[in-house]
Amino acid sequence: RSIAEAEKVKQVQELVKSVGGFKTVNYQFSSVNEGLGISIINGVREVLSKYGTVIVLEDDLIVQPNFLQFMNDALNRYENNEKVFSICGYTNKVTIPNDYPYDVYFCPRSSSWGWGTWRNRWETVDWNLEPWENYRKYKKTFNNWGGSDCFGMLENWKKGRNKSWAIRFCFAQFLQGKLSLFPTKSFIVNDGFDGKGTNCKKWSRFKYELIDGNKRTLNYPTTVSENPQLTKQAIAYNSIMIRIWSKIMYFIYR
């Protein structure tokens, strides 16, 4: 890496060392850039081996003050309900039906923008997907399940065109028929759409509405099941037409 990049890495490491506000802070630095997939998979695996649950935040996320309380409450609430695959702090903007009384909803496809899970869920993920030929038959059903980008992203990982751990996590969720918990309003702002990152452009098709940062008690459903209206709205952000519009906007804002 260049001298300029090395200096930026050093600045980030010093920032990490200065983090406070927690009972204890542990950090590890790699001498080489291991890439997104390997870094997340190994890091999450290590934390889960010690604690059984994990909350994951990447560096471009801004959280509401009540984010950690929500995550911990939900992880505790659904720990023994294995139908729930993950807890997500971010949500796409959705219109809540008038007769929907809850502050959260369940959706098939997990989000990687501020999330958490349990060791016994994480250990069910096949990160290698071998032999690959066994999985081609799921192209249509995987896209119907989570959006038109799903199988293409998974296949591009297989071909070495991306390093996504998240699409493999979602594929395991799809194969198992599990759901993820989302708030009806987001605890997360993704501030990474400035064109400087590896995976984000200068424009995002994803829209959100922030939750009140002081809200401490949420109303949860008594059963783990989808609301079809909310699922349809959330998954629509990955529809073919929206993705085509995104490519046009990427070109404009490049």
Side-chain angles (χ1 to χ4, degrees):
R1 66 193 177 202
S2 68
I3 295 175
E5 288 177 331
E7 179 58 31
K8 290 179 180 178
V9 170
K10 183 178 179 182
Q11 291 174 6
V12 172
Q13 291 177 346
E14 293 303 315
L15 176 63
V16 170
K17 292 177 183 178
S18 70
V19 169
F22 298 93
K23 185 176 181 180
T24 59
V25 177
N26 299 291
Y27 48 82
Q28 294 183 18
F29 303 130
S30 175
S31 59
V32 296
N33 185 348
E34 295 181 337
L36 173 63
I38 292 175
S39 297
I40 294 293
I41 292 169
N42 289 343
V44 170
R45 181 184 293 128
E46 182 173 343
V47 171
L48 288 172
S49 70
K50 295 179 180 178
Y51 304 105
T53 58
V54 66
I55 298 171
V56 184
L57 286 166
E58 296 180 24
D59 57 351
D60 48 12
L61 303 179
I62 301 172
V63 304
Q64 289 291 80
N66 45 3
F67 165 75
L68 284 178
Q69 179 169 342
F70 161 67
M71 294 298 295
N72 282 305
D73 287 349
L75 285 167
N76 289 333
R77 177 182 291 266
Y78 295 104
E79 179 178 9
N80 296 319
N81 191 329
E82 293 192 18
K83 190 172 182 180
V84 183
F85 206 61
S86 68
I87 308 298
C88 304
Y90 172 85
T91 185
N92 293 324
K93 185 176 181 179
V94 293
T95 300
I96 309 303
N98 292 332
D99 60 348
Y100 191 79
Y102 308 113
D103 297 306
V104 299
Y105 67 100
F106 292 97
C107 188
R109 180 174 176 174
S110 184
S111 167
S112 61
W113 295 352
W115 61 282
T117 193
W118 306 264
R119 180 168 53 204
N120 60 355
R121 276 69 146 186
W122 188 256
E123 290 176 345
T124 66
V125 180
D126 177 4
W127 299 106
N128 297 319
L129 296 177
E130 295 288 355
W132 174 248
E133 292 302 320
N134 289 350
Y135 301 106
R136 289 184 179 275
K137 63 185 178 183
Y138 295 112
K139 178 177 180 178
K140 184 176 180 179
T141 52
F142 190 31
N143 286 344
N144 288 339
W145 172 86
S148 64
D149 62 328
C150 279
F151 193 83
M153 194 184 307
L154 187 69
E155 191 169 46
N156 282 338
W157 161 77
K158 182 63 180 178
K159 293 178 178 179
R161 296 173 182 169
N162 68 55
K163 299 182 183 298
S164 176
W165 65 271
I167 195 60
R168 287 174 278 170
F169 186 78
C170 286
F171 190 54
Q173 183 175 359
F174 157 74
L175 291 175
Q176 296 174 42
K178 304 293 178 65
L179 298 172
S180 291
L181 182 78
F182 288 79
T184 53
K185 294 184 179 180
S186 185
F187 287 90
I188 298 283
V189 176
N190 189 330
D191 197 39
F193 292 94
D194 57 3
K196 297 179 181 179
T198 302
N199 299 304
C200 292
K201 309 293 184 180
K202 290 186 178 181
W203 185 85
S204 172
R205 70 180 183 267
F206 302 105
K207 309 304 177 186
Y208 62 88
E209 184 176 356
L210 274 179
I211 196 168
D212 179 354
N214 295 313
K215 189 168 186 176
R216 300 292 171 177
T217 303
L218 301 185
N219 190 13
Y220 291 85
T222 55
T223 59
V224 177
S225 61
E226 294 179 60
N227 178 283
Q229 290 177 262
L230 292 173
T231 293
K232 183 177 181 180
Q233 290 182 63
I235 298 301
Y237 285 81
N238 299 308
S239 68
I240 291 176
M241 293 306 298
I242 295 296
R243 290 174 57 222
I244 291 174
W245 176 250
S246 292
K247 290 184 182 298
I248 295 171
M249 297 302 288
Y250 292 163
F251 180 80
I252 294 172
Y253 284 93
R254 65 180 177 176

